[in-house]
Structure formats: structure tokens, C-alpha cells
Amino acid sequence: MYFYQKIILVNDLLHITKGNNNLLKRREAQRLQRISSCLKYVIGDLAKDKLELDWLSNPSFSTEDALLLHQRATEVANLIPEKSPLISRTTSKSELSGESDTDESLKQSSKKRKKKKKKHHNYKKTKKKTKGDSSSSESDRDTKHIKDKAEGSGRNHEKEGAANLDKKTSNLTSNCFVWLDDIQAFTAETFRIDKKPDPANWAYKSLYRGDIARYKRRGESCLGIDAKKQCITWDSSATKRKQLQRRPERYFTKNNVKMLNTDGIPVCNKSSPSDPTAFIPVFQMEPDDPSDTTDMNPLGIYDPSTTVWLQGKGCKSTDHEPVNMQQTIQEPGININSILMTKVEEHNKKVRENPRDINAWLEFVSFQDELMRGPSPYASKGEHEVRRKSLKLILEKKLAILERAIESNPSNVDLKLARLKLCTEFWEPPALIKEWQKLIFLHPNNPELWKKYLLFCQSQFTTFSVSKINSLYGKCLTTLAAVQDGSMVSHPLLPGTEEAMLAIFIQQCHFLRQAGHSEKAVSLFQALIDFTFFKPDSVKDLPTRGQVEFFEPFWDSGEPRIGEKGARGWKAWMHQQEKGGWIALKPDDDDDDEEIDEDQEIKDKSLPKWHIWLDFEYSREARHWLPWRPDKTKKETEEDCEDPERQVLFDDLGPSLIHLSNPDLQRQLLYSFLQFLGVPCTSKLFPSNLYFAMDENNIFESVLSDEKPLTSVSFPLSGFNSIGHMDTMLRGRHHIGHYKEGEEFIQNVFHVLFLLFSGKEKSNLSICWLQYEISKVVQCLEAKNKKKVKAQGRKSKKLAKNLLKEPDNRNHLSLWKLYAYLEWLLGNIDDARKVFDTALCTAGTGGCKSPQLCSLSLLYAQLEAELLESTEGAVISRAVHVLTKLAESGPYVPYSGQVLSVNVLKARKTYEHALQDYLSKTPVSDQDQVSDANQLVNLVGCYALFQYLTVGIDAAVLIYAQTSEKLEAPGPQKCENTGDSFGIQNFPTALEAITLLHTNLLRFHMKISVYPLNPLREALTEALKRYPSNQSLWRSYIHIQRKSHSASKARRFFDGVTRSTNSLEPWLFAIQAEQLRKKLTENVQRADVGEIHSTIPETGLTNRIVALFEHAVQSENGTHCPLLWRMYLNFLASLGKKEKSKGLFYKALQNCPWAKVLYMDAVEYFPDDLQETLDLMTEKELRVRVPVEELDLLLEV
């Protein structure tokens, strides 16, 4: 403003002096001329900066005022000749008010100024040149106007101006502007003080923006400040306006999601070389000077640096603190980027230095997910890189890394599998199949690769058909058999191939069963058992394909096979053929009448068509699962078969026959066949095809175990439909066991197997058969059908007595135990006690060292304990008597009604010493290890139950805790043969069984007395973390959790277990727990008892269950599990969401197109689409036993 005011005064004086040259001296005119030339240069530059300084148009500059000002300036210049001339201007309001011409010109100029401002506001985009021309023209017109005024008025006011000269001179210092550069004498009144108030200040918050000089700030810094100690915050109205308009960001916005996805920064002292993840130590520093405690630190709570600061003294490191503060503020973004960049560099270094390290490459691939979640480490400073975090981008990066890895390791299968898994996301199925075929062609000897290839082809809905997949299984087994025989010279035999071949064979059988082709699955088992156990000696040296060629004539000869009456086997048939053939025997007369085929007529035609079709389909599935064979006694031929699909040709099973030389695998084949028929065995399926075959909704059924927790029977393979059972989710299982033809088939199988084995193995088969009968009794009890229980009980008891009559089984305590348990289940408690006492009397004096005697005594004591209503008087109960006699190792004496205290004390000591001996014992062989494990479980169970009945629950829990601790921690002794430590690695089944006994005892105690829930919950959670696939433990867990009001603990536990394991059971039971909770909530809300105050809030249980299903079906094992998809479909259908359910059905078919139960469920959920569903089944070659055309004919009859 100072510079602009100076320009204004000088320009006014220039124009005045040009009109009155006769009044000015030549010297002053020359000096002003020089100033004029300088100012024109300055004004020209200012005009270029868009500063419109049109000062000539101001009419307030009169001639007499200019004259007086000039005279005064001349006098001052004479007083101070060395300084520049003083230029001033009077602005006396009193003189200007008396001149009418001046007032008129002032009004005109003000109007022009307003008009010009308006024009300038409306045309801001006018060019600079145009503005300059217009302003110069206007200034010329105004200059002429001022000159004319000055000439007319100069003569009239000449005398008056001379008179008032002295007066104006005296008021000059108070009414004019003075430059400090020109005068030093009048320093007291240098600036003018305007005391007139401005009313606008009351109406507005600030000065008028036009009164404030305009400027532009470049950058955010300020000159003259110390950047380390000081900073300036610039307030901008535009920034505030933007902040007011900006809404607060929510947690799901892009910036907040990026911040949440970044890893946390470890807070640590950079100077300390300790681990950055360690805790920050808080030092307790005591002041050295006690005087500080009283003066500045009266309570002694300040550290020395704070005390020094309170005294007003600065610390030595004070100057550096702002720098550290600034670094700390800028550290988070830099640290995040630096951490990610460091990890990237580490991974690149690993794969560069060790390109053969497969794990390093796979870790680098998985690291890409973490890298994409965080900010980019390669964005420049201050630049916000916008990246589209799409799935395709991550996949392409992973694919590029894997291709580099494969270049360095061309023969590695894991890398190629990982690449194919990635390509599944954005490649078409035909291209993927071609890549798989190339991989199989390069590695035909890799059984694990074959398993994945079979599952991939099996789950491709677009290219799926049953015949194609079945032939692919045959090709796989034929190729691996050629590798096993050595006929494929190009590829060596890999370890574990024979076991993998058996697993693939069992997988093929379950695939055929689930697709509805039960006859082919049963024929496969029959053929392989004959091919393995009844092989003639003359063909044993031939390769596998050569043996298959000799086996084909036997199969096509019509000779009875395994499970059929009169089956003698391939070996006997071959010997007889060499002698001249069989002697024709008359068939045995069958006393029993033939079973009437009930599915040939419709009982109720009023039912809907889809309902009748389901009844027919299920009935034929249950009755016709055996392959059809022409009965020669009835002179039947192959043309007499009504359903050609029931006949199995050798071409369907010949390629799948394999050679099993390992005796353990041969036994595994037998037990797998028995499990396939529905017989419970101790053996389990191979883990590779465990969830692939799970399709029955019976893993949550635990009625009997809830009523009798101590003796709950947990048979393996719950969750798997046995042959002949294909029930829908809503209907459940129609019948128990099999029909007459099926039961006879199982009986014949056992008779043939009894001829193959003897001794212990034969006894184990007898145990399996009796367990099958007990399982049918248990199912009848759970169904609460007394008539069926009585009928089944008679059959089971007859079988048990026949088995015990065998010479090899008379002294087998396990069979006696099962027979006594069968009597107990049927309600014959006195008869069961007689069986138990008889078995114990004949067992001998083995005591605690006999595994079978311990197991028998434990079951007897548990059954007797379950009859107790409370623990009072348990010391003299029959259960304590049984356990005491076991510890005495003497002849058993039946219970007489009392137990001596001395015997109880002796038994406790005996149990304690026996347990210590077994825990410190080292097994010599694997067989001894298994027997010792079973003995340890029985011994711990007897000792804990004895302590529970005689002392209390705490003593029993202490025994379980000590034993589990011993088994978990590796012992000091080593196994001489294997070199493994005597710990949990050696006794995995023992620790799991002991944990199950522990939890069952706690559940029983809570049932008969008051006991806190927390010990049982803790025991179950610890056990399930170790054994996440144990269905019995999960059933117990959800049983106790459904009584809890708060579900947060259970949900957190389920979430933790599902993250830490690949097992599918945690997902299934988590879903079941939420469904039980939803059912309970609905029952409470629907109760018709007046006003209901629900204590269990629903809180979005439906959405939670759907979310659990979605996560489960995306897991590795859940994607191809038919049971999981059936549960999901059933849940959505129960909500009434028909369209979503139909979409989910087709989504399930994309992953499990072979599961016939999914199609049958769809018929029940979407009855209007019956024809469409059956057409789809026919297209994919699934077994349809009742075509729609046949159903229409039956309805017309």
C-alpha cells in the first residue's frame, strides 16, 4: 500500500504541473520529468500484472490544491536540499465541499467507478491488451476534463488561495501523508489517524476483501523460522469449506480398509538391539537426590527428566526431541512400506539363491495375498497410488511367479499343481483338461497326482458323465499297475503306490454308489476280493494284466461269487476246471418263502406324482443293490432281466483290478467292503476320500449317548450312507439294516471270510458281525419302536449265541462283553449280569495285566454306575466290587452286597502302581505298542471310575489330567527300533480315547449331581483343538453349549478351530450348533402361553448360518462334500426361499455332479421340476431306476 500511494500522488502532480508550467520552476519540472519517466516504467509493469490503477479519472484533484501542495513541497525541499522532494496532497473536506463542480465530477467518477467494477466483474476473461487500451483511452478523456476545470477555476480562486495559504500550511502536518524517506523532523505525526467509525464492522466479521491487498502464497513454508522447532499452520477458507462439505468416512471406505489391512508397526526403541516384538520395558527409576523428592517431586512419582523439566532446566537431548517427534509422525507409512519391501526382497533373495527350494516359491506365491492387502511399497513419496485390487491381478502375479518356478524346477509336480489350481479361476474347462492330460502324461507314476486329476474331472459339470469317469478310474489303476509290475520302464515305482492304488479303488466304489450304480460297486469289491484272496498259484507270477485275462473266464462262467450261496472262489474253480469241471448238485430247498416285490404296485395313487416317484426310487434302491445274475436252476438267461443296468459286464470292472501283496492292505480291503455294506468296523477310510463319500445326515444323532454318556457307543463311519440307503434329508432313513436278500448276502460274506482266517483275525471278524447286530438294536431303540426292538433282539441274540458256540470264540472275552451289552440294551439286566459274572469267573486271574479282562470289567462297572441316582452309597455298589476284584488279581466272586474298606485301599494302591508301570513302559514292536495302548486306556478308565466312586470327581479328574500330561510330553525313554520318543506320537489313539473317557465321566457327573460347566467345557475345547475330527467330542460340545445363554464363547472357539485345521467336522458342527439355537429361539417365540419375553435374542442367526455355509463350501474339503451341500440346500428350502434354493442346487451340481442324493432332494424341494431333474440325471448317466414312462404306466393301471 505504501508503494501504491506514492504512485498515486506522483501521477496526480505530473498532470497538474503540465497544466501550470508557468508556476513551477524549471529545476523542479526537470526533476519531476525524470520521476515521470521512471514511474511510467513501473506503471507499465504493474499494468501487466492486472492492477488497474486508473488514477487520472479521479476528479477530486483540483488545481488550487495542487498549487498549494507544490508550494509547500518546494519550501520543504529548500529546507532539506539533499533529500528527494516532498510530495503531498491535501484532502480538506471543508474546501472540497464548497465547490459544486468538484462534487459533480466526484459523483460522475464514483458512478464510473461502480460501472467499471461491474463491468470488470462480468468480463473477467477479457484479454490483457484490451484492458490496457480501454484504460488508457478513459484516462485521456479524464485528463482533458481536469485540465479544463483547472483553467477556469484557477483565476477565481487565486486570491482566496493566497489568503488561506498560512492556514493550510499550519494544518498540513495533521491533514496530509508524509513519507518517512523524505522527512525526519515530523516523526511524531507520520501517519494519519482516522477516528471516524465504520458501521460495516458491526455487520460483518472482517474487513471488506477489497480493502485487503491481494497476494498468492507459494508453498506452505515460511521464511525466518526454525523448521526443527517451529511450524506455521495456514488457515484457508477454501480448505475449511471443503472440510465442511466432506462427510465423515465410514469404516468400509477405501482409505479406512487400506489402513485396517496394513500390518501394525512394532513400537520399540530404535537404539535397543532387542527383539522388536518384545514388550517395552517400563523402568522404575528412583531419584538419586532425596531433596528432589520434597521440592519438585513430593510424591516421588516423576522420573529424573520430568523433575529437571519442572525445575526449569532443559535436558541435554532437548534439541533432538522435536526431530524424533517429527520422525515418529512420519514413521507409520514409511515403516509399512519398508516392511513390505523388506519381505519382497527376502523372498526374491530366497528364490534367487535357492531356485530348487519349492517351499520358498510357494511361500512367495502365498505372500502375494498379503502384499495386495497392504499399500504399495513402490509408490513415490506423496503420491497416492490407486490400484485395483482385483482377483485377476493377484492371480496373474501368482501365475508369473509359478511359471518362473517351473522353469527352474521342470520336474516338480507341486508347482504344476499349484499353477493348475490358479488357472481354474480364469481358464475354460476344456483347456484345463488338456493341461491336466499333459501333466498326467509326464507323470503317470504319481498316484497323488492321479487322485487330484480324478477329483477334478469328477467335479466338472460340463464334461461329466458316469461312464467317462468310471473309465478314467480304470485307466488310472491300469497305469499304476503297469508301473507296479515294472512293465512301464520309463517311470520308476514311487513309495506308497500300492496303498494309494487301494485308496483310489475304494474311491471309485463310493463314486459308483453315490451315482446310483450300486451293482457295479458291489461287483468291483467281489471281483477284487476273489482276485486277491482266491488267486491260483499258477498265475501268481504273471503281471497284473495277464492275471486279469485269466480271471475273466471265471467271472463270465456264472460261478457263484463272494456273498452268493455256494461261492468257492477263483482258485477252487480253476482246479476243478483242470480236473474236468464241476459236478452238478441239486440246489438246496429254501424253506423261507420268497419275498414279495412290494414296489410293483402303488399303494396310494392320490399322492403327488413326485412323491410316488421318490417312494418307488427309494424302494428299488434298497432292494436291487445286488447285481442281477441269471438263476440256472430256474433256467433264466440274461435276456430275462427287466433292467439291463442291473447286469455288470467284465469290461466295466476289469481295468480296475489291482495286485495287493501287503497283508495289511488286504485286510483293509476286507474291512472297507464290510463298511461299504454297513457293518461297523474299527478300520477307517483313507483320509483322501473321506469327505468325498460323506453324504448322510446322521453324524449329529446322539440320543443314546445323551441318555447314557458313560457307555455311549460311537461307531466309525457315521455320516456315510451304506449301500442300499439313499434317503432324502426330510424323510430320513426308512428302514434299519437291509432287506432279506441283503442280510443273506452279508451273512454269506462272513461265512466266506471265516474260511480265510483263523485265530485272532477270525475273532475280530466275529466282533464286527456282532457289532453290526448291536448297531441295529441301537437304531431301533433310538426310533423307540418296541416291536422292532423285540424282533431284532431275537435275531441278534441268536447270532451271538451261535458265535460263542464256536470253539475259537468260547474264551474270547470281547465277544462275551458284546453279548452281555446286547442283553443290557434289550432291558434284560439280570441276564446281562449273569453273562458278565460268568465271563469274569472264566477269565482267570490276569487282573490289571489282561487287556480283555480290564475292558470287560470297565464296561460292567460303567453300566452299573449308570444305574446310580447319586454318588451317595457308591462305595458299596456293585461297580466298586467289580473294580476291586479286578485289582486283586484273584478269582472273581459275584457281588454279595458289601465291599470291605481294606479291599478298597489295596485296590487303590494296586491301580496306582500299575498305571505308573505302564506309563514308564517302552514298547518293543508296533503290535505291542497297539496292545499296550489299549491296555493303558482300559486301565486308566478303571482307575478313574474307581476313584470317582470311592473318593469323588476331583480325584478322577486328577488321574485323567496326570495321564494326559504324561502322554502329551515326550518321555525320557526312546523306542529302540524306531527311535521315536515315547509320547503322543506313539499313543495318538490312547490319548484320544482317554480324553473321551474323561469328558464322558464329567457329563455323567453333571447329570446326577450339581457341578460347574466350566471344567467340562475346558476339557472338551482342549481335546477338540487336538482332535478336530472326532465326532463324539463335537456331539458332546454342542450338547452342553445349546444350554448356554451366550453363544459368543462357542462362536469364537468354532472360528479358531476352523482356521487352524482342514477338517470339515468343525464347520458341520458349528452350523449344527447355530441351527439348534435358531430352533430353540423359534420354539420359545412360537409357544402359545400368552405373553412371551424371549431371553434368547435371534440377532441375525439366519444370516450367520448362511455365512457359515458359504465359508464351509469354499474350504478345500467342503467344496466336494455332498453332505454339506445337502444341509445348505435343506436350510434355504426351510426358509421358503425357493429361487435361492434352486440357484444353490445348480451351484452344488457344479461341485458334486455325481451325487444322486442331491437330485433326489431337489425333486422333494422343487416338485414342479421333476421332469427337468430326471432329464438332467439321464444326461449325466446317473442311475434312474424308475423312468417317468414306467411311472405313468403304473399310474394308469
Side-chain angles (χ1 to χ4, degrees), residues 1103 1106 1129 1132-1133 1136-1146 1166:
N1103 295 331
V1106 171
L1129 186 61
L1132 283 187
K1137 299 179 179 180
K1138 186 174 181 180
E1139 293 300 325
K1140 285 189 176 181
S1141 302
K1142 191 174 292 187
L1144 181 67
F1145 166 63
Y1146 289 110
F1166 320 115

Side-chain angles (χ1 to χ4, degrees), residues 811-818 839-840 842-843 850 852-853 856:
N811 296 326
H812 203 282
L813 292 182
S814 297
L815 280 176
W816 283 99
K817 181 184 73 171
L818 290 176
L840 289 174
T842 58
S850 174
Q852 294 183 356
L853 188 58
L856 179 66

Side-chain angles (χ1 to χ4, degrees), residues 233-246:
T233 303
W234 303 97
D235 294 331
S236 175
S237 59
T239 306
K240 289 182 178 178
R241 202 179 304 118
K242 289 181 181 179
Q243 290 178 354
L244 291 174
Q245 294 176 357
R246 187 181 302 164

Side-chain angles (χ1 to χ4, degrees), residues 262-360:
T262 55
D263 293 335
I265 303 165
V267 181
C268 62
N269 188 4
K270 287 187 173 182
S271 60
S272 64
S274 61
D275 185 11
T277 59
F279 289 102
I280 302 175
V282 180
F283 299 103
Q284 297 180 356
M285 303 184 67
E286 299 180 358
D288 298 333
D289 189 2
S291 62
D292 294 341
T293 306
T294 56
D295 297 338
M296 293 298 175
N297 192 7
L299 299 177
I301 59 175
Y302 300 138
D303 58 356
S305 60
T306 307
T307 307
V308 172
W309 182 80
L310 290 174
Q311 292 175 356
K313 302 175 184 180
C315 296
K316 295 181 180 180
S317 60
T318 307
D319 297 337
H320 303 284
E321 287 180 0
V323 182
N324 296 333
M325 290 281 291
Q326 191 175 2
Q327 290 177 357
T328 306
I329 293 172
Q330 297 177 357
E331 195 67 27
I334 299 174
N335 272 354
I336 293 170
N337 290 343
S338 63
I339 290 172
L340 290 177
M341 290 179 68
T342 303
K343 289 183 178 180
V344 173
E345 292 174 0
E346 289 178 357
H347 283 291
N348 278 297
K349 185 179 179 181
K350 282 183 181 179
V351 298
R352 184 175 61 251
E353 294 178 353
N354 300 312
R356 302 291 182 183
D357 190 355
I358 307 303
N359 293 329

